[in-house]
Amino acid sequence: MAQKRTLLNNRALVWLVGSLLNAYGQLFLITSRLRIEADPEVERLVREQRVPVIYALWHSHVFFVPLFRTFERRAVSVLLSAHRDAQIVGVAARLRGIRLVFGSSTRGGAKAYLQLLTVLQSGESVVMTPDGPKGPAERVKSGVIRLAQQSGCAIVPVALASSRLHRLKSWDRSLLPLPFSKAVFELGAPLYCPDEALLEPLQQQLEDAIQTTVARAAQRVS
């Protein structure tokens, strides 16, 4: 563990690994057949009205964050864990034109929340993994709901399915798509969170919405 921390403190090495991750992502996109399927209401909000939204996807799907810029056709900000491991993902994301906000429920959470709120108020969409940074996997935490309530922005559940993939041995069993795949990037119907609504029912509603989106993407691939 100590050796791993030493390596991740080496900025040159972090940049190299992040660059390789970005190159792999590009290889996947070039060799695979990718479809983006968006709910009509999301198309209207994002493409026609240019309204900012909060994209929510499971932490295991974080590899596909660059696709949000492809869909939005403009800048998107992503909440990324302040953990050392996230630095590598951060390098890859920056190389794809993604803006980063560092923080989590355990480190820099309050500052990151205010940054995300400011980004939304400026008219730019944000991306969050509501079960991150350390789980439990596929369980929605309250932060994304509070952000939606305070900003008034809709939450859009997102998932990706790939015909060829590998699952990493991480706490969230992260998905690593393999080249020469058939893939679908699915954006489900937007979810609104009224100020007066209770947190727990909304958390369950979003959890169900993301799982439904995951299942729909998988069905399209199969």
Side-chain angles (χ1 to χ4, degrees), residues 147-186:
L147 184 63
Q149 288 180 322
Q150 189 166 355
S151 66
C153 295
I155 303 176
V156 176
V158 182
L160 188 137
S162 177
S163 60
R164 302 179 67 248
L165 58 84
H166 173 71
R167 281 192 176 270
L168 303 182
K169 294 181 179 180
S170 55
W171 66 267
D172 61 348
R173 301 282 291 160
S174 289
L175 302 176
L176 182 66
L178 300 178
F180 305 101
S181 297
K182 176 183 177 183
V184 173
F185 189 63
E186 187 86 22

Side-chain angles (χ1 to χ4, degrees), residues 182 217-222:
K182 176 183 177 183
Q219 185 177 27
R220 292 188 195 276
V221 166
S222 63

Side-chain angles (χ1 to χ4, degrees), residues 185-207:
F185 189 63
E186 187 86 22
L187 299 98
L191 170 66
Y192 291 92
C193 303
D195 286 341
E196 66 278 5
L198 297 177
L199 282 174
E200 288 189 7
L202 288 174
Q203 286 175 250
Q204 185 61 56
Q205 190 174 349
L206 177 57
E207 198 170 296

Side-chain angles (χ1 to χ4, degrees), residues 68-197:
F68 287 103
R69 183 176 174 84
T70 302
F71 174 72
E72 282 259 347
R73 299 172 184 169
R74 58 176 177 167
V76 178
S77 291
V78 177
L79 177 65
L80 198 64
S81 167
H83 194 271
R84 289 184 178 90
D85 291 7
Q87 295 176 26
I88 294 173
V89 178
V91 169
R94 283 195 180 100
L95 289 172
R96 303 301 294 274
I98 298 293
R99 297 176 181 170
L100 304 179
V101 174
F102 283 99
S104 68
S105 57
T106 55
R107 298 175 63 185
K111 181 180 179 181
Y113 180 89
L114 292 175
Q115 283 183 272
L116 291 174
L117 186 59
T118 299
V119 169
L120 290 169
Q121 291 171 341
S122 72
E124 184 178 302
S125 296
V126 303
V127 182
M128 299 180 68
T129 54
D131 59 340
K134 294 184 178 180
E138 301 185 1
R139 297 298 301 272
V140 171
K141 297 177 181 178
S142 62
V144 64
I145 303 297
R146 293 183 189 278
L147 184 63
Q149 288 180 322
Q150 189 166 355
S151 66
C153 295
I155 303 176
V156 176
V158 182
L160 188 137
S162 177
S163 60
R164 302 179 67 248
L165 58 84
H166 173 71
R167 281 192 176 270
L168 303 182
K169 294 181 179 180
S170 55
W171 66 267
D172 61 348
R173 301 282 291 160
S174 289
L175 302 176
L176 182 66
L178 300 178
F180 305 101
S181 297
K182 176 183 177 183
V184 173
F185 189 63
E186 187 86 22
L187 299 98
L191 170 66
Y192 291 92
C193 303
D195 286 341
E196 66 278 5

